[in-house]
Amino acid sequence: MDIFESEILLKQLEERNIDPLDIKEQILKLKKGYKPANLIKPCVINDGIKKLNENELDKYVEKYDSELKSINICKFVPASGAATRMFRDLLNLQNSLSSSDGLDSENKEIKENLVSNIDKFAFKDDLEKELDTDLSECISNDLLVVLSALLDEEKLNYKNLPKGLIKFHQ
């Protein structure tokens, strides 16, 4: 049964002044998918971002306050800053593997988790491409090379990428 044959749904759409054709178009777009945005650099003041002066700021605060009762508000928390903390454990593991001290129990656990779950990481394909080899084989033979490819500046540089640019699902 087509969902648009449902009298209940059609009534709900009508109550909200929503055209069923708009919904069908949205569903088609979701099924078809969207081309990903090609991010080339961050937005900064005078290059994608406008810094408001005091008068402009006061004007927009006043407008917001006057419209507040008639609008719905939601909170948006962007992923900001570099991803250094996200990769802290892998950076520690990389440092431990580079030193002659060997791995402590925490780094051994991190290594085991990484090795056994590497196929689940969203950046797996990028990492494999960077290494130009089968990742499963490489991670078993030389984990330090894998960590270097993922974290180092001249490679994928995940430790310094803005969090918003890090792949988090496949």
Side-chain angles (χ1 to χ4, degrees), residues 65-80:
D65 288 340
S66 70
E67 303 264 339
L68 192 56
K69 291 179 181 89
S70 64
I71 58 176
N72 291 323
I73 304 296
C74 66
K75 183 176 182 179
F76 173 69
V77 180
S80 60

Side-chain angles (χ1 to χ4, degrees), residues 127-139 145-146:
L127 191 52
E128 213 162 47
K129 195 181 299 180
E130 177 68 35
L131 292 165
D132 195 29
T133 188
D134 178 57
L135 184 55
S136 301
E137 184 179 314
C138 189
I139 201 166
V145 168
V146 173

Side-chain angles (χ1 to χ4, degrees), residues 60-122:
Y60 287 117
V61 167
E62 198 175 299
K63 179 170 177 55
Y64 174 82
D65 288 340
S66 70
E67 303 264 339
L68 192 56
K69 291 179 181 89
S70 64
I71 58 176
N72 291 323
I73 304 296
C74 66
K75 183 176 182 179
F76 173 69
V77 180
S80 60
T84 308
R85 284 185 314 211
M86 291 174 69
F87 291 95
R88 179 182 51 227
D89 290 343
L90 294 182
L91 287 163
N92 289 337
L93 177 59
Q94 184 182 35
N95 290 335
S96 292
L97 288 169
S98 299
S99 78
S100 57
D101 297 338
L103 298 179
D104 60 18
S105 60
E106 186 177 334
N107 276 316
K108 284 180 184 174
E109 186 178 335
I110 293 166
K111 176 184 176 183
E112 288 170 18
N113 276 331
L114 180 62
V115 170
S116 62
N117 292 299
I118 194 68
D119 288 335
K120 296 178 185 172
F121 285 99

